Amino acid sequence: MPDKRSLLVISHPGHELRLYGWIDQVQPVICILTDGSGGEGVPRLDKTLDVLRALGAEIGPICGELSDRRIYEKILHHKYYLFDRLCKRLARLIVTYDIDIVVSDAMEGYNPTHDLCEVLVQAAVAIANKKKHPITRHYTFPLMGDPRQAARDGENAQTAPRAIARHTIELIPLQFKHKLETIRDYASSAGEKLQQEIEHAFHTYGEHAFACEYLFRAPVPKQALEQSFTQAKPFYETYGEKQVAAGRYQCVIRFREHILPLMNRLYARIPAALPADQQQ
């Protein structure tokens, strides 16, 4: 899709590494919702900006304005106006920049901010499509696990709510080499925890698992996303429960209590008369 005007929206600095090859080829506009400070309060935005500028990407007007702590606080207290504003800004950006394709984090139940990134973008795309032609298409990319498994799951509508249609980006050897070097360099500067996560992923799946990158057509709003968590708790709930038990957190962010109401609020912003194929 190099001839298309593209926008990448990610929730945290570092997610760009999963799409290193695509960014190198397409050089999209990139928006980042948080500064990547996490629970420790140490931002890692500057390192991400170095990576993106080296790849020739354009930094968008939404760039690391929020801390993770602030977002979690708003979610826990049902103070959703922050997300209303983000949705409006993204929709306006899509129209102003005449974006053809938006790529965002996928909703995987690992981190609530990752999940809300997909929902925010989906609502923003639908709002923007009411004002522009041709319409903008929305794709997501997997952040957790083996990306090849995400591609295989995407072929089976019974195991995943992702559409079968997707784009596969195969990295040439030199590009893949640079990607691995950049990932390891980024992790070493971000601290021991990220280094361990990266090396665990390479050891578990093999480095070659990251030689291809996958973009999935975003599912139709709400039902396809909500059904992912009807049978089992998302990871962030079980992880949060352990942190509360250990005395590190005071509250647990829960899908039905906190995330689902925000999803409903954002989807309510989608124009009612919009055709179904424009809500993707």
Side-chain angles (χ1 to χ4, degrees):
M1 303 178 286
D3 58 334
K4 302 292 186 181
R5 180 68 163 161
S6 299
L7 168 68
L8 173 64
V9 183
I10 55 178
S11 57
H12 293 119
H15 293 186
E16 72 283 353
L17 298 172
R18 277 270 184 161
L19 287 183
Y20 183 94
W22 179 76
I23 295 170
D24 188 28
Q25 292 178 25
V26 177
Q27 298 181 332
V29 179
I30 298 184
C31 288
I32 308 166
L33 301 184
T34 75
D35 61 7
S37 52
E40 299 175 357
V42 181
R44 61 171 190 253
L45 183 63
D46 288 347
K47 183 62 178 177
T48 278
L49 295 181
D50 289 341
V51 171
L52 295 177
R53 288 172 181 137
L55 291 173
E58 178 181 348
I59 309 303
I62 300 173
C63 184
E65 303 167 6
L66 304 169
S67 68
D68 290 282
R69 288 178 178 176
R70 186 181 178 200
I71 283 186
Y72 295 155
E73 178 186 337
K74 299 299 183 185
I75 293 171
L76 282 167
H77 293 92
H78 297 272
K79 295 181 178 179
Y80 296 152
Y81 61 88
L82 171 69
F83 304 97
D84 292 338
R85 291 203 301 265
L86 278 173
C87 185
K88 286 181 182 178
R89 292 174 66 189
L90 285 169
R92 186 165 59 244
L93 186 155
I94 292 167
V95 173
T96 302
Y97 282 62
D98 195 22
I99 297 295
D100 298 302
I101 292 165
V102 184
V103 177
S104 74
D105 294 350
M107 190 173 194
E108 299 171 297
Y110 180 79
N111 181 290
T113 311
H114 299 186
D115 292 359
L116 288 175
C117 183
E118 171 167 350
V119 179
L120 274 167
V121 170
Q122 202 165 63
V125 167
I127 293 167
N129 280 341
K130 194 69 176 177
K131 302 178 182 179
K132 67 185 293 292
H133 185 80
I135 63 170
T136 300
R137 297 296 184 186
H138 178 201
Y139 292 83
T140 65
F141 69 101
L143 285 162
M144 307 312 302
D146 186 339
R148 297 170 301 185
Q149 184 60 48
R152 289 191 288 268
D153 288 346
E155 298 287 357
N156 185 349
Q158 300 302 314
T159 61
R162 304 289 154 187
I164 293 175
R166 69 169 188 264
H167 291 277
T168 301
I169 301 95
E170 296 185 21
L171 279 61
I172 61 173
L174 182 60
Q175 195 177 45
F176 181 47
K177 177 176 178 290
H178 289 163
K179 177 179 180 176
L180 294 179
E181 291 172 348
T182 302
I183 290 173
R184 286 198 163 96
D185 178 63
Y186 190 104
S188 67
S189 68
E192 184 178 354
K193 182 179 178 181
L194 186 58
Q195 278 185 291
Q196 291 175 347
E197 290 176 358
I198 293 298
E199 292 306 325
H200 174 74
F202 286 158
H203 176 75
T204 304
Y205 312 122
E207 291 181 351
H208 199 69
F210 303 92
C212 286
E213 298 166 353
Y214 305 94
L215 303 181
F216 296 89
R217 184 74 174 273
V220 174
K222 196 172 185 301
Q223 288 82 7
L225 296 177
E226 184 179 350
Q227 72 183 22
S228 302
F229 308 118
T230 54
Q231 301 300 322
K233 293 179 181 179
F235 171 82
Y236 59 77
E237 279 196 35
T238 56
Y239 177 79
E241 289 168 356
K242 293 177 183 177
Q243 297 301 304
V244 168
R248 298 188 184 96
Y249 293 171
Q250 292 183 331
C251 303
V252 178
I253 293 177
R254 299 195 181 278
F255 176 74
R256 292 201 173 277
E257 183 180 350
H258 302 106
I259 302 301
L260 185 57
L262 179 49
M263 287 174 60
N264 290 336
R265 181 186 178 101
L266 290 169
Y267 286 138
R269 302 180 66 87
I270 294 176
L274 199 67
D277 67 342
Q278 293 189 29
Q279 296 182 21
Q280 300 185 19

